[in-house]
Amino acid sequence: MTQRVLITRPALPGGGLDRLAGRAEPVRWDGSGRPEPAELRALAPGAAGILCLGNDRVDAALLDAAGPSLKVVALASMGFDGVDREAAAERGVVVTHTPGVLAETTADLTFALVLMARRRLGAAGDALTAGRWDVPRMGDHLGLDVYGATLGIVGYGQIGRAVARRAHGFGMRVLHHTRSGREDALSTPVDLPTLLAESDVVSLNVPLTPETRHLIGAAELAAMKPTATLVNTARGGVVDEDALLRALRDGTIHSAGLDVFEREPMGAELSPLVGEPNVVALPHVGSATEATRAAMVDLAVDNILDVLAGGPARTPLPGSSASPSAPSHI
């Protein structure tokens, strides 16, 4: 019997959903924006799989709405903070994500934010667009050098190491902090206080967990150089945004490059950080290339099909079972 798979968006990049439709019965939420929890619960009964995005809330209520048929929740994202992993484990549901396929693309975006924030390129472009480039002045649009600066990477997984490789092309000294103590030729492991004190740029590349929520707050910002730049392409909740706004406005740090925010999406009610002259803000586009987003959907589909066929998931979340407690077959 063909099994049902709930897809939390009406369309996704690439051809992964076509492959899924050939082996399962897709049930798509067909609205716009992000679905409300009640809308997903209404579509969930009898689903064997759920294909969702990283900012969807997959909680115990949704898992229970799907019922005992549910075997796998596949995130088309690397982040997994929207999923109640404990509730999934209690119900024998495998949870997967998409590591690897987005690391290089996200590292590109991370370094773009480093360059834009350090050099204040966003503000310079705004001045040009507004017609304020009248005569050249030596003191206009002065930023800070990236070449030869010290980069501190908080979290040294696939994305962190990809950022380190790019930093070497700019002649940067690279430090990193990670609980695993990982070492390699690209970077020097240090504790977090040392990283914050010595880095000209601090790049956040950790998942959002109870341990990393507001990892960077007022005390950590005060420990950074007044010429430092904070770049966050991880999750907005890793940073205390109120503390960051104060630090930027009072000169505690120089600038910030932000691709993620505590409240996403924003709509017309923007975060106070958006529009600050020393902030470069983007709408969570770290993995947003055609090839990478298609690869993320492909991997999520592969995880679903493998689990529903009774095999192990290709990329289960850390701590998640690689296969369901009761294998099923397409």
Side-chain angles (χ1 to χ4, degrees), residues 300-327:
V301 167
D302 288 339
N303 276 312
I304 289 173
L305 294 177
D306 287 350
V307 171
L308 296 189
R314 301 187 186 196
T315 53
L317 283 181
S320 177
S321 173
S323 57
S325 55

Side-chain angles (χ1 to χ4, degrees), residues 113 202-204 230-239 257-260:
L113 285 173
V202 174
S203 174
L204 303 178
L230 180 71
V231 173
N232 188 8
T233 56
R235 284 291 186 268
V238 175
V239 177
L258 307 173
D259 185 43
V260 290

Side-chain angles (χ1 to χ4, degrees), residues 18 46 57 59 64 69 86 111 141 207 213 227 260 271 279 304:
D18 293 335
R57 180 61 186 157
D59 56 12
D64 287 341
S69 59
E86 183 176 343
F111 223 84
H141 312 305
R213 181 172 291 281
T227 54
V260 290
S271 163
V279 172
I304 289 173

Side-chain angles (χ1 to χ4, degrees), residues 249-263:
R249 287 179 173 176
D250 67 19
T252 299
I253 66 171
H254 172 266
S255 53
L258 307 173
D259 185 43
V260 290
F261 297 86
E262 292 199 79
R263 178 172 51 84

Side-chain angles (χ1 to χ4, degrees), residues 81-235:
D81 45 287
V83 178
D84 187 334
R85 292 182 287 162
E86 183 176 343
E90 290 172 352
R91 292 157 179 76
V93 176
V94 180
V95 182
T96 71
H97 64 154
T98 58
V101 296
L102 53 77
E104 299 296 337
T105 301
T106 305
D108 283 348
L109 191 282
T110 299
F111 223 84
L113 285 173
V114 171
L115 291 167
M116 291 188 71
R118 294 292 283 172
R119 296 291 304 274
R120 292 188 162 164
L121 300 180
D126 290 344
L128 176 62
T129 302
R132 297 197 301 271
W133 188 24
D134 45 10
V135 295
R137 300 181 182 90
M138 287 288 287
D140 285 351
H141 312 305
L142 299 182
L144 299 175
D145 284 323
V146 173
Y147 176 80
T150 296
L151 170 67
I153 301 172
V154 182
Y156 203 55
Q158 294 172 336
I159 296 173
R161 296 195 302 279
V163 173
R165 290 195 296 273
R166 284 154 179 76
H168 277 268
F170 282 78
M172 299 183 82
R173 172 191 178 220
V174 184
L175 309 174
H176 73 268
H177 171 68
T178 178
R179 289 185 301 174
S180 68
R182 183 196 307 270
E183 296 189 35
D184 63 19
L186 293 170
S187 178
T188 302
V190 295
D191 58 28
L192 185 58
T194 299
L195 183 145
L196 294 173
E198 296 188 10
S199 297
D200 299 298
V201 180
V202 174
S203 174
L204 303 178
N205 301 103
V206 294
L208 180 60
T209 67
E211 294 74 27
T212 63
R213 181 172 291 281
H214 287 188
L215 177 67
I216 304 298
E220 289 74 24
L221 292 162
M224 293 168 62
K225 297 178 180 181
T227 54
T229 298
L230 180 71
V231 173
N232 188 8
T233 56
R235 284 291 186 268

